[in-house]
Structures are given as structure tokens and as C-alpha cells.
């Protein structure tokens, strides 16, 4: 007879939920939903061993557990820290967390060029969103930024190493989707860069997915470069008959023209099902697809409506009706 596994109770920004043992703080926050979910630049749930590199998901643990209620002395990476029973976490409600995230954002922007007006990732860039929320107007470093020449690492993929934040998502995706990975992180420290081994081209049938997992504009689709800004296109769910993948994709339309094709992503911008190169790069005619209807892109962006006017009680907004509120210090309760 199987025994029922006891779930752990965790409270994040005053919102309580129960999760299975082994769940990370970030996944627990996503289970609650709402505005208390920490951002993630390197963590990607579909990719094994992702996370722990960018530190944008830092949170404050104000109570370790019921057994040991002492707070953790430093901010922790929520994607790599497991939940303990009775743990209490502060994300939006912690000034220490916001200051730490601001410092991480400034660090990521030290070498990152502010070329958003010409970058194809503008409007879909997580670093652009973080830069708006936590960035500073000027850099404090006196050193020159690292610069690289744009590189074609295959017939369909353009690499802009200047924009790379070394999240390693593309490397992990290639490890998971291809039998013989041909690119990776070369050198170490400040000299580290993404590149191919011996100038090989990335031509695996599923290698185009590295474009979708990139959180910035370091890897872009050569077939759609400078074709249109993302906010001028309309995303449409579509499917086709494909023997290599599910054939389920998103067509980014400009009138009757297919500007680009991407995999379908969830609300956290993570790919639901990988698609092959043929669907992504070669099928650009409407007759090759069955249109299912318009797709709602729920992830926030600096171009989203009303994003520039944040509500004062942002941390109390919930999107999960099953999450419970706890009383505040003055005895009041916030509403779901």
C-alpha cells in the first residue's frame, strides 16, 4: 500500500501554497502565480540542469522552516533553492531583494550593448524588461565593453556575442536535442564566449530551438532579420503535417506574410513543444499551415499596455484563486 507524501507549506509575499518535496522556490512561486513570481534569465524548466547562472531570481528567505525558523543570512537563487516545510519567502515585499536584483541587472548590462532600436529581440527581451524595472541610466564601470563581430553559426542562425549573458540555455538545448553538440562556452571568466567548435555550422534538424530559448538577442533567426518589429506582427497558432515534430507552432504574421515561425511558449516564455528546422525556417507559405486562431501572448513586456503604470499594491495581486492570504502585521488581510 502506497503512503501519501506529505506536502510542504510555503508562503511567498503573504501567499501560501503547498508543494511536493524537492520543489524549488521558483516553481512554488509559479504555482501561486501573480506578480510574486521571480524573473528568470537562465532557468528553463524544459532544460535539464538549467538555472543558477544569472541570479535574477534572487529572493529573501525570512523563515527557513518550521523546524528551524531562522532566516537565511543572504539572498538565495530561487531556481536552485528547495522548499522546506513552513518556509517564508519575500520577493516583491523585500527591499533587499529588489536592491539585489537591481545590482544583478546592472552587472548584466555592463557588457550588454543598448542597441534595442536595431535588435530583433526588442519587445520580447527579458533583459530589456529588467533594465526598465531595475536598470540605471548610466554605467559605473570605466572599462571598455567586450566587443565581438556578428557571426553566422549556420545557414539560419546569427550569433551576436555582444548581447550574450552566458545563460547557457542554448548549450543545454543543444545537449538535449542533438546527438553531437557542436557549440558551447569557450574560455573562462571574462573571456568566456559562446562559439562553435572549429567554425562548424549548426545544422541539426532541431538546432533552431536555440533561438527560442535565448532570453536576449544573442541568437536570432537569419530568415527574419530586420523583417518587422515584433509589435507590428500578429501571432497566430498554426499546425502542419510534419514527420519530425508535432507541427504545432506560432506564425508571426504581417498581413498575409509569415515573417517568422517560433515554437509555442507558456506564460513564462518556455517552449511547450520543440519544433524542427523545416517548420521553423522553410515553411513560410500560408498554404502549408492550418491556422487555428490568434495567440494571446501573456508575458509582460515594456511594450505591453499600461506597463508603465504599476499599481502601488502590486505584490498583492493574485492570479491563482487557490492561494491563501495570511494576515499582515496590523491584522488586515489582502483580497484575492
Amino acid at each position: 500500500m502506497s503512503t501519501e507524501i506529505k506536502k510542504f507549506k510555503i508562503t511567498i509575499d503573504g501567499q501560501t501554497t503547498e508543494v511536493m518535496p524537492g520543489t524549488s522556490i521558483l516553481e512554488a512561486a509559479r504555482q501561486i502565480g501573480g506578480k510574486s513570481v521571480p524573473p528568470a534569465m537562465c532557468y528553463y524548466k524544459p532544460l535539464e540542469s538549467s538555472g543558477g547562472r544569472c541570479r535574477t531570481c534572487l529572493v529573501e528567505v525570512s523563515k527557513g522552516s518550521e523546524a528551524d525558523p531562522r532566516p537565511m543570512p543572504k539572498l538565495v537563487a530561487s531556481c536552485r533553492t528547495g522548499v522546506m516545510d513552513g518556509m517564508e519567502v519575500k520577493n516583491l515585499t523585500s527591499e533587499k531583494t529588489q536592491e539585489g536584483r537591481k545590482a544583478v541587472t546592472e552587472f548584466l548590462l555592463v557588457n550588454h550593448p543598448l542597441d534595442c532600436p536595431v535588435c530583433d529581440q526588442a519587445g520580447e527581451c527579458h533583459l530589456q524588461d529588467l533594465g526598465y524595472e531595475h536598470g540605471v541610466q548610466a554605467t559605473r564601470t570605466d572599462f571598455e565593453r567586450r566587443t565581438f563581430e556578428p557571426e553566422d553559426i549556420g545557414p539560419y542562425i546569427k550569433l551576436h556575442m555582444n548581447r550574450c549573458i552566458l545563460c547557457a540555455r542554448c548549450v543545454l538545448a543543444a545537449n538535449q536535442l542533438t546527438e553531437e553538440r557542436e557549440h558551447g562556452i569557450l574560455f573562462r571568466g571574462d573571456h568566456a564566449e559562446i562559439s562553435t567548435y572549429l567554425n562548424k555550422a549548426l545544422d541539426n534538424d532541431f538546432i533552431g530551438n536555440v533561438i527560442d530559448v535565448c532570453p536576449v538577442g544573442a541568437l536570432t533567426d537569419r530568415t527574419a532579420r530586420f523583417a518587422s518589429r515584433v509589435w507590428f506582427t500578429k501571432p497566430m497558432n498554426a499546425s502542419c503535417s510534419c514527420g519530425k515534430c508535432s507541427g504545432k507552432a506560432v506564425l508571426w504574421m504581417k498581413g498575409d506574410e509569415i515573417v517568422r515561425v517560433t515554437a509555442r511558449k507558456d506564460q513564462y516564455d518556455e517552449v511547450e513543444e520543440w519544433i524542427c528546422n523545416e517548420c521553423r525556417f522553410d515553411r513560410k507559405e500560408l498554404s502549408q499551415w492550418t491556422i487555428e486562431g490568434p495567440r494571446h501572448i501573456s508575458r509582460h513586456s515594456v511594450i505591453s499596455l499600461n506597463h508603465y503604470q504599476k499599481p502601488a499594491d502590486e505584490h498583492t495581486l493574485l492570479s491563482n484563486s487557490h492561494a491563501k492570504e495570511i494576515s499582515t502585521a496590523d491584522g488586515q488581510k489582502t483580497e484575492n
Side-chain angles (χ1 to χ4, degrees), residues 1 7 24 59 104 147 161 205 231 239 245 308:
M1 184 176 66
K7 292 186 176 181
S24 66
V59 294
V104 170
T147 56
M161 189 57 214
D205 286 340
W231 51 87
S239 59
C245 66
Y308 295 99

Side-chain angles (χ1 to χ4, degrees), residues 20 36 46-47 49 70 112 131 184 192 199 209 224 294 300:
M20 297 296 293
S36 292
L47 299 178
S49 71
R70 293 177 299 175
H112 192 87
N199 294 325
N209 290 284
H300 81 281

Side-chain angles (χ1 to χ4, degrees), residues 41-315:
M41 296 285 291
C42 64
Y43 176 77
Y44 209 78
K45 188 176 181 180
L47 299 178
E48 299 176 359
S49 71
S50 66
R53 289 178 171 87
C54 71
R55 290 298 191 269
T56 59
C57 66
L58 290 174
V59 294
E60 178 185 354
V61 178
S62 57
K63 179 181 178 182
S65 64
E66 288 292 348
D68 185 1
R70 293 177 299 175
M72 292 188 178
K74 297 181 180 180
L75 300 179
V76 299
S78 60
C79 68
R80 286 291 193 176
T81 306
V83 168
M84 299 298 291
D85 191 25
M87 178 179 282
E88 295 182 6
V89 177
K90 294 181 180 180
N91 179 34
L92 287 179
T93 56
S94 168
E95 292 185 6
K96 186 187 298 184
T97 297
Q98 299 307 309
E99 286 296 321
R101 195 164 293 155
K102 179 179 179 180
V104 170
T105 302
E106 183 180 8
F107 182 76
L108 291 175
L109 290 171
V110 164
N111 284 309
H112 192 87
L114 300 179
D115 59 349
C116 299
V118 298
C119 180
D120 281 321
Q121 193 80 1
E124 299 175 304
C125 178
H126 296 264
L127 187 56
Q128 188 181 40
D129 298 339
L130 281 174
Y132 165 71
E133 295 176 4
H134 303 285
V136 293
Q137 294 182 352
T139 180
R140 292 185 292 175
T141 179
D142 294 329
F143 298 98
E144 294 184 3
R145 292 181 175 180
R146 298 194 312 165
T147 56
F148 302 85
E149 290 296 326
E151 180 182 358
D152 293 333
I153 56 173
Y156 303 114
I157 304 174
K158 173 74 75 173
L159 171 63
H160 288 261
M161 189 57 214
N162 291 341
R163 303 169 184 165
C164 180
I165 61 171
L166 294 173
C167 69
R169 282 183 180 180
C170 62
V171 179
L172 298 176
N175 272 339
Q176 188 168 313
L177 298 176
T178 65
E179 295 180 357
E180 296 182 359
R181 177 170 57 84
E182 296 176 333
H183 84 293
I185 300 177
L186 307 184
F187 311 115
R188 302 176 66 182
D190 189 52
H191 299 285
E193 62 176 285
I194 297 288
S195 187
T196 57
Y197 300 134
L198 300 177
N199 294 325
K200 286 188 174 181
L202 305 184
D203 56 0
N204 186 274
D205 286 340
F206 284 82
I207 199 63
N209 290 284
V210 300
I211 299 173
D212 281 342
V213 303
C214 183
V216 292
L219 296 171
T220 53
D221 183 350
R222 289 182 61 191
T223 66
R225 280 172 54 81
F226 309 124
S228 176
R229 307 303 268 169
V230 63
W231 51 87
F232 292 139
T233 59
K234 295 182 179 180
M236 305 290 289
N237 281 338
S239 59
C240 66
S241 299
C242 181
K244 298 179 182 179
C245 66
S246 65
K248 297 179 180 179
V250 178
L251 309 183
W252 296 81
M253 308 285 299
K254 192 173 184 180
D256 293 331
E257 177 188 1
I258 300 177
V259 175
R260 64 173 179 146
V261 180
T262 65
R264 298 186 185 184
K265 300 181 180 181
D266 60 18
Q267 61 178 322
Y268 300 113
D269 210 32
E270 295 178 349
V271 172
E272 298 173 352
E273 295 184 63
W274 310 108
I275 62 174
C276 65
N277 284 2
E278 183 179 353
C279 292
R280 182 184 299 273
F281 302 118
D282 298 334
R283 299 185 176 181
K284 294 294 183 70
E285 300 293 333
L286 274 177
S287 58
Q288 298 174 307
W289 296 92
T290 300
I291 304 297
E292 299 175 2
R295 182 172 184 82
H296 175 65
I297 305 299
S298 59
R299 189 183 69 83
H300 81 281
S301 170
V302 297
I303 64 170
S304 298
L305 183 64
N306 293 330
H307 181 69
Y308 295 99
Q309 297 178 356
K310 301 178 185 178
D313 59 342
E314 187 176 32
H315 65 274

Side-chain angles (χ1 to χ4, degrees), residues 4-12 15-33 37 43 45 64-65 78 81-89 268 320 322-324:
E4 184 178 356
I5 300 177
K6 179 184 177 182
K7 292 186 176 181
F8 288 169
K9 182 180 294 185
I10 179 174
T11 302
I12 303 176
Q15 308 164 45
T16 302
T17 190
E18 293 183 344
V19 298
M20 297 296 293
T23 303
S24 66
I25 295 177
L26 178 59
E27 285 299 324
R30 289 183 175 184
Q31 182 173 312
I32 292 176
V37 180
Y43 176 77
K45 188 176 181 180
S65 64
S78 60
T81 306
V83 168
M84 299 298 291
D85 191 25
M87 178 179 282
E88 295 182 6
V89 177
Y268 300 113
N320 188 340
H322 299 292
K324 300 177 181 178

